[in-house]
Amino acid sequence: MRDFNHSRLLARLLVSAAAPVMMLGTPAFAQEAAQPAATPPPAAAANDATGTPDIIVTAQFRGQRIQDVPLAITAIGSALIEARSQDNIAQLAKNTPSVVVIPGGGAFGPSIGASIRGVGQFDFNPAYEPGVGLYIDDVYYATLTGGLFDLLDLDRVEILRGPQGTLSGRNSEGGSLKLFSKRPTGDEGGFVDVGYGSRNEITLRGGADFKLTDNLFGRVSGVFKHQDGFVSLEDYGCAKPGNPENIVSTRGAGSCTVDKLGETDYKGLRGQLRWNPSNAIDVTLAGDYSYQKQTNAPEVTTTSADPNYICGKYCTYADFHTQGFDFPHTNEFRGGGTSLNAILKPAPNLQITSITAYRAYTAIFGTDDDFSPGVQADTSTPAGFLGPYTVNYADPRREAGGFDQLKFHFFSQELRLNGDFLNHAIEYTVGGFYSTQKTTYYTIQNIGYIVPGAYLAFLGNDPVNANSKAAFATAIVHPGIEGLTITGGVRYTKEHKDYTFIRENPDGTPLSGLAAAFGLSALNGLTSRYNGDRFDYRGSVDYRFSPAVLVYGTVSTGFKGGGTSARPFTAQQALQGTFKPETLTNFEIGLKTDLFDRRLRFNLSAYIDNYKNIQLPLADCSAYGGGPCGVVANAGDARNKGVEAEISATPIPGLNIDGALSYISSKFTRLSAALGSNYVASDPATFSPAWQASGGVQYKAEVGTSGSVTPRVDFNYNDKQFTGRALGYAYYLPSYTLVNARLTWRNTKEDLEISLAATNLFNKYYYNSIFSAVYAFSGTAYQQIGHPREFMGTIKKKF
């Protein structure tokens, strides 16, 4: 009864908010059916100089005004991305309600963690699925590694909140992040953008569109970014000679600073070739490549049983020489892909879309998992080992570290048929999707911390295979009642995953000693398999009261794929450690408005999610044979409730205001006892801030023949964020507010602009994430900190 009353309360709140704006509208009118188009639609086209622009999105596989789609969508065009000084997807997320995207820490390499409405994934391991669908030009990006996309030469970004089980499909239970590139048009235009900023930041971006023939066009774009790091990696023995731990310097004479963490060094290139001989044929061949090699994430030790190991706000004593190995403190990523997007329109009301894609990458990274100096290294090196062998066992807190390499290959094929009949009364999409992927996860792990005074390391070289098959259909029905639309969709998915464990000594010989005693040797050559299927559905009703007001209600489902535990300690944990899909059922109502001659856009949504079979790491493996526990299981259910609001206003010509606000309440309704002390029933069930808010304002002031000047100010607020109980108590990242500012001058032709931007204007010190997985053994935990105040000057020339 309490859940029913809460749902009714959300409905009343939404209706109450809608009532006054409904009165502003004109009588209901017949809704014009959206038509599939062979040419991909542009991001935005303003109706007039003072109105809020229309943004055309393809969330339902056809070009539609964002205000006509009964989904909670945030769509951002390239102009707004640039005005906010944003160049990657993590920055973009800070201005979007209910979205969290953070760069991966050193332990997780060149990856991201992402959640929408509290649902997602923050572990890069290829055994686990993202939970938020990532797409570039409708091509699914299957892993979190390499997911910190640069916003290069984009047309728009669509962020769909809530489960997209029938649309984006697999692993989009939280929502989807979709990036759409600018397509070749043959206009022979282009741009060059050069910038210089704090800590020797250098950026270079450029793009050019060219015409080869009357119906063959090309476009190329590229980016280079470099910036020095801002967290000093200090040699402990050098900085603290005569320390009580008897750790000596490996630096010799000179500076104690080994390197700077938090560096940026990124290069990317994208090319497209488009053949568009008629309105009935549009074929685009695209390819991209990116490369980065930079120091690890900016992380500092914040909790330690030995206070000497805490260096300060912008420095760390992490030692990447750990019990036999030199682990890198850098991460490297090189990868890219190709895609062929073919759109054929054999009849006016029929469109066939085929999307074929291949992607591959290699990622290399390493870490000191306890982020302390811990043990001392000397120059003796046993045969087969990678670096200096550690000899100091006086410190009971054992060092932890790892070297990781991922090699990834992915192929996908999607085929869609769009059409309509009965004079557009029914619009439909049917299609199928297939993908196959293989990740080889090479790793050297030192886990000696679990047995004080012992040496325990192993090599893994694990192939992880996965494939997915799906069939889907969506129908948009206009039943003949003016303003009323009914949408329904279904999707069936079948998936397979297998994980083969290789456990050997670091020199490739069979495991022995403690590693064998712990059961790791029994894992060698063992394969764990998962097979499953899933049926998802969506039903939606929307009613347009007037050109200004749309109200909708939706019930939809989604899932995050099942799999097998990636870090077992025993064969029993591997074989029994498979888990089912994590599922979500969403009940949502929403309001979309364009008011006061389109000078104010106000969108509101409220939802309740039933979140089932949550995939969580266990602390107690007694049901899996006991011993150290590395099992992930379906160990909980939860109910999430939230409200989101977005505004966009142009009260007078030149003045633009935008803002967003979201709130989420998340509570466990079932919690497995096997979780031990990791969670208690009163903890939030999601790693998401309860409140998020953002806003921005800019004014374009014309200065006659000198052009225009546009100042802009943005802020975003993140409430405190639950991270778990690995420290022995419920730990929350503190709340923070960031302010950014930008000043832009443009000439009268608007083909030349000069900008000065400041990010984190008030130099707020804040945390993005915490790594405390080994705290119970090592007594240390460390956190990733956000960038300090930075300035950037840019010059952009269009031609």
Side-chain angles (χ1 to χ4, degrees):
M1 177 63 73
R2 183 174 63 181
D3 293 337
F4 172 77
N5 289 339
H6 194 90
S7 303
R8 187 165 57 187
L9 176 59
L10 287 176
R12 287 176 176 172
L13 287 172
L14 189 57
V15 171
S16 297
V21 295
M22 290 175 185
M23 296 175 64
L24 294 172
T26 60
F29 69 103
Q31 183 174 343
E32 183 180 354
Q35 299 297 311
T39 302
N47 281 9
D48 53 60
T50 59
T52 302
D54 279 336
I55 297 182
I56 305 300
V57 297
T58 55
Q60 297 190 124
F61 301 138
R62 59 188 65 238
Q64 295 174 285
R65 293 176 60 249
I66 189 172
Q67 295 300 88
D68 292 334
V69 181
L71 295 170
I73 307 177
T74 299
I76 309 102
S78 57
L80 183 55
I81 292 171
E82 182 178 324
R84 290 173 172 170
S85 304
Q86 296 168 334
D87 65 7
N88 66 57
I89 199 168
Q91 296 170 347
L92 192 68
K94 290 184 181 297
N95 292 85
T96 309
S98 303
V99 178
V100 174
V101 177
I102 58 172
F108 290 171
S111 68
I112 62 168
S115 73
I116 297 178
R117 294 180 173 176
V119 179
Q121 178 65 267
F122 293 89
D123 189 338
F124 78 97
N125 195 287
Y128 309 131
E129 304 297 341
V132 170
L134 306 174
Y135 294 83
I136 300 179
D137 295 330
D138 274 336
V139 174
Y140 179 58
Y141 199 91
T143 74
L144 295 174
T145 298
L148 193 62
F149 304 133
D150 185 87
L151 307 180
L152 171 65
D153 203 22
L154 289 185
D155 177 66
R156 70 190 185 280
V157 176
E158 297 179 17
I159 301 178
L160 284 60
R161 302 188 298 278
Q164 306 299 315
T166 64
L167 297 169
S168 301
R170 177 172 175 249
N171 303 320
S172 297
E173 61 168 347
S176 298
L177 301 172
K178 296 188 170 186
L179 281 62
F180 293 91
S181 306
K182 290 181 178 176
R183 297 294 184 95
T185 62
D187 66 5
E188 299 187 328
F191 72 97
V192 175
D193 190 328
V194 181
Y196 183 80
S198 301
R199 300 193 316 280
N200 297 313
E201 181 176 12
I202 299 173
T203 65
L204 175 62
R205 296 172 181 273
D209 195 298
F210 49 91
K211 184 176 181 179
L212 298 173
T213 69
D214 288 343
N215 52 39
L216 185 63
F217 319 122
R219 189 176 184 92
V220 294
S221 53
V223 57
F224 168 83
K225 299 189 295 187
H226 178 84
Q227 186 179 32
D228 296 340
F230 60 94
V231 170
S232 297
L233 181 61
E234 298 290 315
D235 183 287
Y236 182 76
C238 175
K240 293 189 174 184
N243 58 80
E245 295 82 14
N246 297 318
I247 297 175
V248 299
S249 172
T250 60
R251 298 288 294 170
S255 172
C256 296
T257 301
V258 178
D259 213 333
K260 293 280 191 177
L261 303 181
E263 178 187 34
T264 298
D265 197 321
Y266 179 90
K267 307 165 188 70
L269 183 67
R270 177 185 297 144
Q272 299 178 78
L273 194 63
R274 179 182 173 196
W275 182 50
N276 186 204
S278 69
N279 289 334
I281 300 175
D282 195 334
V283 181
T284 301
L285 175 66
D288 67 271
Y289 176 80
S290 61
Y291 176 75
Q292 70 176 47
K293 187 174 183 180
Q294 56 197 31
T295 58
N296 282 359
E299 294 169 317
V300 299
T301 308
T302 53
T303 303
S304 177
D306 187 338
N308 289 327
Y309 289 172
I310 297 179
C311 183
K313 293 175 66 175
Y314 291 104
C315 68
T316 181
Y317 294 128
D319 184 359
F320 292 82
H321 308 282
T322 64
Q323 290 193 17
F325 310 100
D326 276 336
F327 294 126
H329 62 272
T330 59
N331 64 80
E332 182 176 1
F333 177 91
R334 64 179 74 220
T338 60
S339 65
L340 181 67
N341 188 315
I343 300 175
L344 307 176
K345 198 171 182 182
N349 63 341
L350 198 63
Q351 178 175 298
I352 302 170
T353 302
S354 172
I355 303 171
T356 308
Y358 173 79
R359 299 202 66 82
Y361 66 70
T362 298
I364 300 173
F365 53 100
T367 188
D368 172 11
D369 276 342
D370 68 359
F371 240 58
S372 77
V375 292
Q376 179 180 350
D378 70 4
T379 57
S380 60
T381 305
F385 284 68
L386 295 180
Y389 184 70
T390 57
V391 296
N392 180 7
Y393 290 97
D395 190 338
R397 290 177 297 278
R398 308 314 311 145
E399 279 280 90
F403 167 83
D404 298 276
Q405 177 177 276
L406 298 175
K407 290 187 176 181
F408 174 81
H409 301 271
F410 175 85
F411 171 81
S412 67
Q413 173 64 55
E414 184 165 0
L415 190 65
R416 300 196 296 253
L417 175 66
N418 278 22
D420 65 77
F421 52 87
L422 299 179
N423 195 25
H424 307 305
I426 299 177
E427 303 168 277
Y428 64 87
T429 300
V430 295
F433 175 84
Y434 170 77
S435 70
T436 183
Q437 65 192 70
K438 179 177 181 178
T439 309
T440 303
Y441 181 16
Y442 177 91
T443 182
I444 294 179
Q445 291 291 322
N446 171 19
I447 56 173
Y449 56 84
I450 66 175
V451 184
Y455 179 81
L456 183 56
F458 68 86
L459 175 150
N461 194 18
D462 306 347
V464 188
N465 299 293
N467 62 64
S468 177
K469 305 169 186 176
F472 54 88
T474 294
I476 302 173
V477 180
H478 310 285
I481 301 173
E482 286 189 335
L484 179 66
T485 302
I486 301 171
T487 303
V490 293
R491 188 179 188 113
Y492 175 75
T493 304
K494 186 175 183 178
E495 57 182 2
H496 164 83
K497 181 173 289 183
D498 59 71
Y499 195 119
T500 300
F501 300 93
I502 304 298
R503 296 293 180 265
E504 299 174 338
N505 281 326
D507 62 356
T509 59
L511 285 174
S512 57
L514 273 176
F518 265 89
L520 290 176
S521 58
L523 285 166
N524 193 42
L526 188 68
T527 299
S528 180
R529 293 178 174 86
Y530 163 81
N531 291 285
D533 60 356
R534 168 76 182 174
F535 179 84
D536 284 298
Y537 63 87
R538 172 187 168 221
S540 180
V541 177
D542 64 85
Y543 185 76
R544 183 164 287 285
F545 287 86
S546 72
V549 180
L550 176 80
V551 174
Y552 69 88
T554 294
V555 179
S556 59
T557 66
F559 77 100
K560 180 169 71 176
T564 182
S565 297
R567 301 180 180 97
F569 286 86
T570 67
Q572 187 173 350
Q573 289 181 14
L575 293 174
Q576 292 184 313
T578 57
F579 46 85
K580 299 183 296 184
E582 183 180 278
T583 66
L584 188 134
T585 303
N586 165 255
F587 304 90
E588 182 172 334
I589 48 180
L591 167 72
K592 296 191 172 187
T593 69
D594 280 315
L595 308 172
F596 306 111
D597 293 330
R598 299 172 53 86
R599 287 181 173 85
L600 172 65
R601 174 168 293 170
F602 174 69
N603 293 345
L604 182 68
S605 58
Y607 62 90
I608 295 176
D609 290 341
N610 290 331
Y611 191 20
K612 300 290 186 180
N613 289 319
I614 305 174
Q615 298 164 6
L616 297 170
L618 304 184
D620 177 5
C621 269
S622 57
Y624 302 87
C629 196
V631 170
V632 168
N634 301 108
D637 299 333
R639 181 156 294 129
N640 304 336
K641 305 172 183 177
V643 179
E644 301 160 339
E646 293 182 280
I647 66 165
S648 178
T650 308
I652 59 174
L655 178 62
N656 299 102
I657 302 169
D658 58 82
L661 178 69
S662 62
Y663 172 77
I664 181 172
S665 172
S666 175
K667 297 295 181 184
F668 282 107
T669 57
R670 179 182 67 88
L671 203 56
S672 171
L675 289 167
S677 60
N678 287 4
Y679 300 90
V680 299
S682 60
D683 289 335
T686 62
F687 301 116
S688 180
W691 289 96
Q692 291 176 270
S694 65
V697 58
Q698 69 179 48
Y699 180 70
K700 183 179 180 181
E702 302 289 348
V703 287
T705 57
S706 298
S708 65
V709 175
T710 305
R712 181 179 176 90
V713 177
D714 288 279
F715 85 92
N716 57 73
Y717 168 78
N718 260 41
D719 200 0
K720 64 180 183 179
Q721 184 173 337
F722 178 67
T723 64
R725 290 179 170 269
L727 297 180
Y729 55 90
Y731 183 77
Y732 289 80
L733 299 177
S735 62
Y736 63 87
T737 301
L738 303 180
V739 177
N740 302 332
R742 184 182 180 101
L743 181 66
T744 302
W745 169 83
R746 294 183 181 87
N747 65 356
T748 53
K749 294 182 179 179
E750 298 200 342
D751 60 357
L752 177 66
E753 62 183 61
I754 301 174
S755 299
L756 177 63
T759 54
N760 192 2
L761 183 61
F762 298 111
N763 206 27
K764 177 68 175 179
Y765 189 85
Y766 66 100
Y767 301 116
N768 281 320
S769 60
I770 183 171
F771 187 88
S772 52
V774 301
Y775 173 76
F777 303 101
S778 66
T780 55
Y782 58 94
Q783 298 189 226
Q784 182 186 148
I785 60 177
H787 281 231
R789 177 171 52 226
E790 297 172 351
F791 295 98
M792 182 76 176
T794 61
I795 300 176
K796 182 176 183 178
K797 172 63 178 176
K798 299 177 182 178
F799 54 88

